[in-house]
Amino acid sequence: MSKLRVNAFTLSLDGFGAGPDQDLSNPLGVGGEDLHKWMVGTRTFRQMVGKEGGTIDTDEAFTVRSFENVGAWILGRNMFGPIRGEWPDENWKGWWGDNPPYHVPVFVLTHHPRDPIVMEGGTTFYFVTDGIHSALEQAKAAAGGKDVRVGGGVATIRQYLLEKLIDEMHLAVSPLLLGKGENLFAGLDMLKLGYQCTEQAATPLATHVIIKRA
């Protein structure tokens, strides 16, 4: 059965999934890129950005798992770009250039309509204006029986958690304090929502935890 998953989503020690003040120079907010040191040295990530080498370790194993059996993605608008409000034109096509790393349909949550964008490598961005349930329905249909991965950001994951729709989350907790930004767990009673931690593994750059819906 198709699952709704969060994978390789990194949090700071104080619970923030991104830093403040996102812009073109800071796609993950100020200080946010430092959260992902555990991933950027892995073989899988280096291959994604056209580089050779990389670690083959626990961090790599979790990176590999994050891409297994994924048939579609759901992204919040901020994960697609820094533009707010109405789309000023059709020029912005995401953070990753002409060949994004998704290679499957991607459904972007937004309040502002936009035509689909067909990219290289099998990625097509679809813009969903009628909410998280519609995005999930469309993503599951496009996934063809495979899982749907929620890429973030924090606000999008929180919406799906509150509806008890996420089946499994892999969080990587980085040994870094951000101080402010978007906090994933603020005000959420994860036990009451029916979630529990089922797996954990620590590396020098992150503590990996798996959280599943009971």
Side-chain angles (χ1 to χ4, degrees):
M1 182 180 295
S2 177
K3 294 180 180 179
L4 184 63
R5 297 164 27 196
V6 173
N7 286 90
F9 193 81
T10 308
L11 295 177
S12 65
L13 281 174
D14 43 355
F16 297 105
D21 304 322
Q22 181 197 43
D23 57 24
L24 283 173
S25 300
N26 298 283
L28 298 173
V30 176
E33 289 192 21
D34 289 338
L35 293 174
H36 299 274
K37 289 181 178 179
W38 70 270
M39 183 190 289
V40 296
T42 63
R43 182 176 61 179
T44 296
F45 185 87
R46 289 179 65 84
Q47 288 177 346
M48 285 169 49
V49 296
K51 297 181 180 180
E52 297 181 353
T55 61
I56 306 173
D57 53 12
T58 298
D59 292 328
E60 163 70 0
F62 276 101
T63 304
V64 171
R65 284 172 60 174
S66 73
F67 288 100
E68 291 176 344
N69 198 45
V70 175
W73 288 64
I74 296 172
L75 300 179
R77 178 161 171 180
N78 291 1
M79 294 292 291
F80 178 74
I83 300 168
R84 305 294 183 264
E86 295 282 352
W87 303 102
D89 50 47
E90 302 293 312
N91 292 330
W92 181 262
K93 297 180 180 180
W95 295 106
W96 288 89
D98 293 332
N99 191 356
Y102 307 106
H103 309 302
V104 293
V106 179
F107 296 85
V108 180
L109 293 162
T110 177
H111 295 295
H112 303 281
R114 184 172 174 179
D115 291 335
I117 306 172
V118 179
M119 307 292 288
E120 296 177 11
T123 300
T124 299
F125 292 111
Y126 298 93
F127 298 90
V128 181
T129 59
D130 51 351
I132 64 169
H133 294 278
S134 175
L136 180 56
E137 182 179 348
Q138 293 179 57
K140 283 192 171 183
K146 292 185 176 182
D147 294 341
V148 176
R149 179 173 169 180
V150 180
V154 166
T156 297
I157 295 173
R158 284 173 59 88
Q159 288 181 72
Y160 281 108
L161 282 174
L162 284 167
E163 295 292 321
K164 304 179 184 179
L165 291 171
I166 291 176
D167 298 294
E168 179 178 310
M169 286 199 301
H170 161 227
L171 303 176
V173 182
S174 171
L176 175 72
L177 296 168
L178 282 182
K180 58 182 178 179
E182 290 188 275
N183 194 293
L184 180 62
F185 292 121
L188 292 183
D189 187 335
M190 292 295 287
L191 287 175
K192 188 175 181 180
L193 290 170
Y195 290 94
Q196 59 185 3
C197 182
T198 61
E199 183 182 347
Q200 65 280 324
T203 74
L205 294 176
T207 298
H208 300 275
V209 295
I210 302 294
I211 298 172
K212 295 185 177 181
R213 187 159 49 86

